[in-house]
Amino acid sequence: NAGVMQNPRHLVRRRGQEARLRCSPMKGHSHVYWYRQLPEEGLKFMVYLQKENIIDESGMPKERFSAEFPKEGPSILRIQQVVRGDSAAYFCASSPSPGSPLSTDTQYFGPGTRLTVL
Amino acid sequence: AQSVTQPDIHITVSEGASLELRCNYSYGATPYLFWYVQSPGQGLQLLLKYFSGDTLVQGIKGFEAEFKRSQSSFNLRKPSVHWSDAAEYFCAVGKDTGFQKLVFGTGTRLLVSP
């Protein structure tokens, strides 16, 4: 069973460009979480999505950041007009639907995308 | 609001020696507690978790952690450290089953000396 997949693993953008980060959850998982890890810090929650729904985006910056999890395909975290302060590692995690027979109340993390803004 | 404190930024342990990594949390109700390990350039791997029941929790790779409500702590331990344990360790707290908006500590970097 493949784990959570993220691509690209490394992404370099110039200030003002757009960054698109992709996350494919584990098979059988319908919930996706995005976290950001700034240098020398712990992970900070950004957004929680299920298919076609944003459940909680309380950790998302108000501007330039958006996330989606369409019915088909991976979850996308989009950062418009990137700035140097967006340089970080972005981690995706997935879990089964709460209350499902598969539910383990545990998030499984992908390897992350390291975004560098020049 | 929930918070997690990992007071040690770096710890160096000799190979074969015992290890204890500290984690203190702040949360009004019964917390859901996790320890994750992150190897360089990798994602986070779950070591163990505590939801309820026995306060001493066994995890993978020989790790264990003890939940102490009176001290608001969830310290990670291993009796004999291996060089491959060198990594960054994160303690995290969630508030409920199901949807877990995890709050992470800032991490402790473990160095293992020969």
Side-chain angles (χ1 to χ4, degrees):
Chain A
N1 187 10
V4 177
M5 299 175 66
Q6 291 188 249
N7 68 81
R9 294 291 305 275
H10 300 273
L11 182 61
V12 178
R13 285 286 178 266
R14 297 190 180 279
R15 281 179 295 170
Q17 291 184 319
E18 179 180 283
R20 281 185 180 238
L21 289 62
R22 294 175 187 77
C23 169
S24 296
M26 286 179 68
K27 187 177 180 180
H29 288 191
S30 58
H31 292 243
V32 164
Y33 312 77
W34 286 94
Y35 292 83
R36 176 166 64 174
Q37 184 182 29
L38 294 170
E40 307 300 321
E41 294 188 15
L43 280 72
K44 297 282 197 295
F45 169 81
M46 299 181 75
V47 62
Y48 164 48
L49 312 101
Q50 62 183 63
K51 291 279 187 181
E52 301 183 284
N53 255 328
I54 296 176
I55 307 299
D56 185 323
E57 56 182 348
S58 58
M60 288 277 271
K62 298 293 182 222
E63 297 176 348
R64 302 187 297 109
F65 284 73
S66 62
E68 63 176 6
F69 190 16
K71 188 176 181 181
E72 301 291 337
S75 174
I76 307 284
L77 179 67
R78 183 181 177 209
I79 311 173
Q80 296 178 291
Q81 300 175 335
V82 295
V83 301
R84 289 221 173 101
D86 296 333
S87 295
Y90 292 82
F91 289 94
C92 169
S94 73
S95 68
S97 302
S100 83
L102 296 175
S103 179
T104 61
D105 299 312
T106 298
Q107 294 176 26
Y108 296 87
F109 283 81
T113 293
R114 279 150 183 84
L115 172 65
T116 301
V117 180
L118 302 178
Chain B
Q2 302 150 265
S3 67
V4 176
T5 302
Q6 293 181 249
D8 303 306
I9 298 174
H10 297 100
I11 281 187
T12 300
V13 174
S14 298
E15 190 168 15
S18 64
L19 169 71
E20 183 168 26
L21 301 182
R22 295 184 289 166
C23 172
N24 293 97
Y25 67 90
S26 173
Y27 182 58
T30 300
Y32 291 78
L33 295 159
F34 305 81
W35 274 100
Y36 284 88
V37 60
Q38 183 182 30
S39 297
Q42 303 297 312
L44 278 72
Q45 181 182 22
L46 179 69
L47 286 175
L48 48 77
K49 59 188 178 184
Y50 171 79
F51 289 159
S52 63
D54 193 347
T55 56
L56 185 62
V57 181
Q58 302 298 321
I60 63 171
K61 304 184 179 186
F63 285 92
E64 66 178 26
E66 187 170 11
F67 171 61
K68 292 185 177 179
R69 183 187 299 275
S70 61
Q71 298 176 19
S72 297
S73 69
F74 188 58
N75 294 348
L76 182 71
R77 301 193 294 246
K78 186 170 185 178
S80 177
V81 168
H82 188 262
W83 64 266
S84 61
D85 293 324
E88 185 126 27
Y89 291 80
F90 291 97
C91 182
V93 63
K95 67 172 185 177
D96 206 346
T97 57
F99 166 44
Q100 291 281 1
K101 182 178 174 177
L102 295 178
V103 175
F104 283 84
T106 51
T108 297
R109 186 173 299 277
L110 173 65
L111 304 172
V112 180
S113 60

